[in-house]
Amino acid sequence: MLQIPEFLTSIENPTRFLLESIKTAVVIDDVTELVARLNQYKDTADISLMDTILRDPEFLTALLSGIQTLSFNQSAVDLFEAESMTELRSRSSEIILPESIPRLIGYLQSLLRDDPTYSTDVALVTLKGKRIYVRANFCVIKNGDKTFTVNSLTNISDWYDDRNALAAVRTRYALALKGSQFGVWDFDIVNKQVIRDAEYLRILGYREGELDSSVMGVRALMHPDDLEQLDAMLEFPDTFDYEFRIRKKDGEYRWIRLEGSACQWNQEGEKIRAVGTVRDTT
């Protein structure tokens, strides 16, 4: 049986004390009625829960009415920009966006499967209309004939925005390289393996997975008269600037220029990675 630390017995409301000590938003729900409705649905339904809700949005509303929110902590009030716990409790249905519904259905399906935990990243909206992204973790606790969920919600909006911004930068970067007809290479000096991007492969006429990424694979493509260039590269200078002939997939040799520099070192100061570009200079 769980032992309550002695110091908590001296606190008037130990549950509230613990909730307010947690900086992550926490919501505690009594889902006994919801689980009962889900089990009733499971016994009588002939189509999936997802299909049922998509066909009849009112069915989802009826299901959610079976959730009784018992408590929020102050972090939840702050996260959803509510004036008070009372306001958040009365307006909690407003935080759900239409695009959030598949994630919500995933939570309902986990209750239907009797899973003890469920986690998801979901878009929500605050009571002031601000769009946020949260990482939601739901823990199911059963006590006799009652079922409760303790839900922790962590704001990951900054991480999500950064990820999207990085994806946009990568897209612009890829388009710029494609427009300039520069390919990119990334050389693992320790393992002597090279990674080539799609434009590099296009220059040589290959598809993903068709080229040997080892140094021997590079050697096999180079014109025999230019192999001294490869030997110079394998001395791993600080900067790379070489021009040599390389055989395309159709057997034609093309002149390419390879430029780049070492970019990563180990604790002993030894080069372990180099990156750069390649272009057809024929």
Side-chain angles (χ1 to χ4, degrees), residues 19-20 22-26 72-80 85 153:
L19 282 176
E20 297 310 328
I22 299 171
K23 298 308 177 185
T24 298
V26 175
F72 299 98
N73 66 353
Q74 185 59 42
S75 294
V77 175
D78 296 339
L79 175 65
F80 293 108
M85 293 184 188
L153 310 170

Side-chain angles (χ1 to χ4, degrees), residues 112-243:
L112 197 59
R113 294 190 302 267
D114 205 23
D115 293 341
T117 60
Y118 176 73
S119 299
T120 188
D121 292 347
V122 59
L124 298 172
V125 64
T126 71
L127 298 188
K128 293 185 178 180
K130 179 182 177 182
R131 185 187 184 88
I132 60 174
Y133 294 88
V134 302
R135 179 153 293 157
N137 295 286
F138 303 90
C139 180
V140 178
I141 299 173
K142 294 190 175 183
N143 185 9
D145 60 353
K146 290 284 190 178
T147 304
F148 305 90
T149 58
V150 179
N151 320 316
S152 66
L153 310 170
T154 303
N155 191 347
I156 59 169
S157 299
D158 290 344
W159 170 83
Y160 192 89
D161 291 342
D162 288 345
R163 187 188 69 170
N164 285 347
L166 180 59
V169 168
R170 285 176 171 168
T171 298
R172 289 195 295 269
Y173 169 75
L175 290 172
L177 284 173
K178 187 173 182 179
S180 62
Q181 296 185 330
F182 276 83
V184 174
W185 53 270
D186 185 336
F187 190 60
D188 179 344
I189 295 173
V190 176
N191 297 304
K192 295 183 174 54
Q193 296 282 318
V194 62
I195 298 173
R196 307 171 179 92
D197 76 343
E199 186 62 16
Y200 192 139
L201 294 173
R202 186 200 65 78
I203 290 172
L204 299 182
Y206 288 90
R207 295 180 180 179
E208 184 72 32
E210 290 185 335
L211 276 178
D212 184 348
S213 60
S214 69
V215 169
M216 293 307 297
V218 176
R219 181 179 291 274
L221 294 175
M222 291 184 69
H223 193 285
D225 294 343
D226 298 332
L227 287 176
E228 60 184 30
Q229 299 267 31
L230 178 61
D231 295 334
M233 282 188 280
L234 292 180
E235 293 179 4
F236 310 122
D238 290 336
T239 60
F240 291 73
D241 190 350
Y242 300 95
E243 197 159 18

Side-chain angles (χ1 to χ4, degrees), residues 23-50:
K23 298 308 177 185
T24 298
V26 175
V27 182
I28 299 177
D29 292 327
D30 181 345
V31 295
T32 305
E33 186 177 343
L34 170 62
V35 170
R37 292 179 181 179
L38 286 171
N39 285 329
Q40 183 181 28
Y41 167 81
K42 182 173 64 174
D43 293 338
T44 59
D46 56 357
I47 60 174
S48 72
L49 180 63
M50 175 77 80

